Amino acid sequence: MVGRHLLATPEWNISLRSVWHSIVAAEQLSFHRAASVLGTDQSVVSRKIRALEDQLGVSLFERNRAGVRLTRAGKEFINQAKSALSDLDYAVKSARCAGNGSRGQLRIGFFCSLAAGFLRQLLVEFARAHKTVTIDVSHGAPRDHIQQIRDRAMDIAFFTGHPELPDCDVELLWHERVFCVVPEGHPLGSVEAVDWSRLRNETFIVSHDEPGPEIHEYLIMRLATVGFHPKIRRLAVCRESLIHLVAMGFGLTLTSESTIATPFRGVMFKPICGQTDVLPCVGVWSPANDNPALRRFVSLARTLKAARAAARPE
């Protein structure tokens, strides 16, 4: 019943301009002064208000030589009209804000560390510039985030690699170096950077969950040769616990550059020497997503990417 009432065609067709003329006239107590405020002729104001009164079937003003004053019906109408126009003005401004991305919601998924790096800077700068946009962040596996993007439950996700996703926009935004995590006192602690040849006989630990399988494959690609397979243990622990286990002597592990900004007791982070040991980091979103906040976020990401490229030494 309520829905039918809201969707019903109004029985009136009142000009908003006539309503506004009436409000100004009520404030000025004079059609002449109202015309001056509105930048029009007194006859125009008088004609529009008369037409409005004819539509309503009531007199809004008592007219005399000194000016005008509201009737009882006029006072009721003007009070309600002011409230209605205020609501309409708010609706218009809200729609414009939502349309240009200055207000709204942005849902972001990530699988890298926020301790430092590109994504941290991007989030900080966007939040500072768009204080009325609610930013929801979710840490999780890339495969889950990709499905959420397809389901329009997430706007954009960030992770390493460069997946083939024909139904999504995938853009390379930054790179992160690969670091080896070693315990304090380890022989590799005295070197500036680690060569793969010095890691062949080490035991590595990775997590069962992502990014464990990805790191496992990376270690196999870099260390496995004919007749040799690296020693890798898979443990049911999170990334943070994995680094603590390195400090406790359970083995070495690999991590990305953004992680090393987080202080961990008992470990050292050593960069891998190889020039190819950098991880591509991408942003993924749906081209069908028309969220204006997303478009502004992607634009800022591209600006930040360009600024970093320009600042990089030749």
Side-chain angles (χ1 to χ4, degrees):
M1 182 67 71
V2 174
R4 290 181 183 177
H5 176 72
L6 291 175
L7 294 175
T9 302
E11 297 180 359
W12 44 263
N13 184 21
I14 294 175
S15 165
L16 291 180
R17 188 176 296 273
S18 297
V19 175
W20 181 237
H21 279 58
S22 298
I23 291 173
V24 175
E27 293 174 345
Q28 298 297 320
L29 298 178
S30 165
F31 288 173
H32 176 72
R33 288 193 294 271
S36 179
V37 170
L38 293 166
T40 188
D41 295 331
Q42 178 178 341
S43 60
V44 173
V45 174
S46 180
R47 185 168 62 252
K48 287 189 175 296
I49 292 177
R50 178 63 70 185
L52 177 59
E53 290 176 323
D54 290 343
Q55 283 183 291
L56 295 174
V58 296
S59 294
L60 299 177
F61 294 94
E62 292 179 1
R63 296 156 174 83
N64 53 57
R65 292 182 179 180
V68 297
R69 66 177 183 177
L70 288 169
T71 63
R72 183 175 180 180
K75 290 180 181 178
E76 182 68 22
F77 177 81
I78 293 299
N79 287 338
Q80 296 292 340
K82 283 183 176 180
S83 177
L85 287 184
S86 176
D87 289 343
L88 180 60
D89 182 62
Y90 178 80
V92 170
K93 290 178 180 177
S94 295
R96 286 175 176 169
C97 286
N100 62 27
S102 59
R103 179 179 297 163
Q105 183 182 33
L106 186 64
R107 299 157 299 182
I108 301 170
F110 66 97
F111 194 59
C112 51
S113 173
L114 295 179
F118 183 95
L119 183 55
R120 179 187 177 95
Q121 183 180 355
L122 175 61
L123 289 171
V124 168
E125 291 191 11
F126 186 84
R128 184 182 296 126
H130 301 83
K131 297 184 184 300
T132 57
V133 174
T134 300
I135 302 175
D136 293 329
V137 293
S138 174
H139 183 273
R143 63 178 179 273
D144 296 332
H145 287 166
I146 291 170
Q147 188 57 52
Q148 290 173 8
I149 287 171
R150 288 171 172 154
D151 295 339
R152 304 294 287 275
M154 181 173 288
D155 293 303
I156 188 169
F158 297 92
F159 45 83
T160 57
H162 207 293
E164 294 291 333
L165 300 171
D167 59 333
C168 294
D169 284 339
V170 180
E171 185 161 341
L172 175 63
L173 294 171
W174 78 98
H175 289 87
E176 292 196 7
R177 295 181 67 185
V178 178
F179 280 72
C180 183
V181 188
V182 302
E184 290 182 350
H186 191 280
L188 293 175
S190 61
V191 302
E192 290 295 323
V194 179
D195 186 86
W196 283 110
S197 62
R198 303 189 65 172
L199 296 173
R200 285 175 57 84
N201 297 319
E202 297 289 344
T203 297
F204 285 88
I205 56 175
V206 300
S207 59
H208 272 295
D209 297 329
E210 295 190 48
E214 184 180 357
I215 295 175
H216 187 280
E217 291 180 13
Y218 196 85
L219 288 167
I220 296 296
M221 179 179 65
R222 288 289 189 265
L223 295 174
T225 58
V226 176
F228 175 81
H229 195 280
K231 291 176 286 187
I232 306 173
R233 295 180 59 196
R234 299 181 66 180
L235 305 175
V237 297
C238 66
R239 178 162 39 190
E240 179 181 350
S241 295
L242 199 67
I243 296 178
H244 289 309
L245 287 172
V246 171
M248 296 162 62
F250 279 67
L252 311 187
T253 194
L254 301 182
T255 193
S256 59
E257 187 173 357
S258 59
T259 306
I260 69 173
T262 302
F264 287 94
R265 291 179 58 187
V267 300
M268 294 176 287
F269 298 96
K270 298 295 179 177
I272 304 294
C273 291
Q275 293 184 354
T276 59
D277 291 298
V278 291
L279 303 174
C281 300
V282 299
V284 178
W285 66 93
S286 170
N289 189 332
D290 61 353
N291 183 353
L294 169 63
R295 298 302 164 188
R296 288 186 171 238
F297 189 70
V298 170
S299 177
L300 179 59
R302 288 168 173 161
T303 299
L304 182 57
K305 173 185 175 181
R308 287 194 163 203
R312 192 178 301 124
E314 296 294 338

